[in-house]
Amino acid sequence: MSGLLAGSCVLVTGMVTDASIAFHVARVAQEEGAEVLLTGFGRLSLIERFADKLPRPAPVIELDVTDQDHLDTLAERIGAHTDRLDGVVHSIAYGPPGAFSFLDGTWADVATAVQVSAYSLKSLTTACLPLLERRGGSVVGLTFDAGVAWPHYDWMGVAKAALESTSRYLARDLGSRGIRCNLVAAGPLRSMAARSIPGFAELADVWTTGRAPAGWDLTDPGPAARGVVALLSDFFPRTTGEIVHVDGGVHMTGA
């Protein structure tokens, strides 16, 4: 499948370290021929050091998806590196500690989780529209199956349900502009995000106790990254509003 993204330019958000799913999406995208730009929030110098581990150098653009000034100037700042985007990867999620306690979570906790983890898909996509519309493109986000209630995930599960609905509405409104919007529902991975989930080990036990017919490796983000890259490519030209499960098959198994 070499060259799936040959000649394309992709923006990958949410990379922190080389343990981030976003890092591996960027790596696979480069291996498939894409020019990659990254966004980061917080310690940009640290993110840039990890970006240097990619097969090819990739510029890092500062982006806080809750900062309207960052969003308003994003297309212009991307424009310093490229005149178009063919793909955007949304790999951004955050919930305060209170978001992981369903009965005790406050509205402030929930509002933060929903804004950063769900609404940001819309705000990021619309910020990139001036560059995406030039040739059409693909927006791909990462979710964690929100069709059921998971142990310990609590209000983050609600935020992921909002993310999945947001993706469908974006797919509806942007299809006429040549832009597809899909999600990859990945199984649990020992990524940076996993460290913020209390009880992650119990959640991951669902995958490590034989429930995944195709098997699942908590330390291997490769399958999820390849799923994202496949959806970025032209191999799915009429697929939009979809959620592709890359979870070893756990989503379809019974008790």
Side-chain angles (χ1 to χ4, degrees), residues 21 24-29 142 184 221-230 246:
I21 297 175
H24 294 276
V25 171
R27 173 183 57 78
V28 175
L142 284 153
V184 167
R226 290 195 291 274
V228 171
V229 168
V246 183

Side-chain angles (χ1 to χ4, degrees), residues 41 64-66 92-100 105-120 155-156 159-160:
F41 171 61
D64 174 357
V65 291
T66 68
I92 300 170
Y94 171 72
F100 295 96
T106 67
W107 170 240
D109 297 328
V110 176
T112 297
V114 170
Q115 181 182 14
V116 177
S117 307
Y119 182 79
S120 64
W155 285 106
M156 283 303 296
K160 290 297 186 181

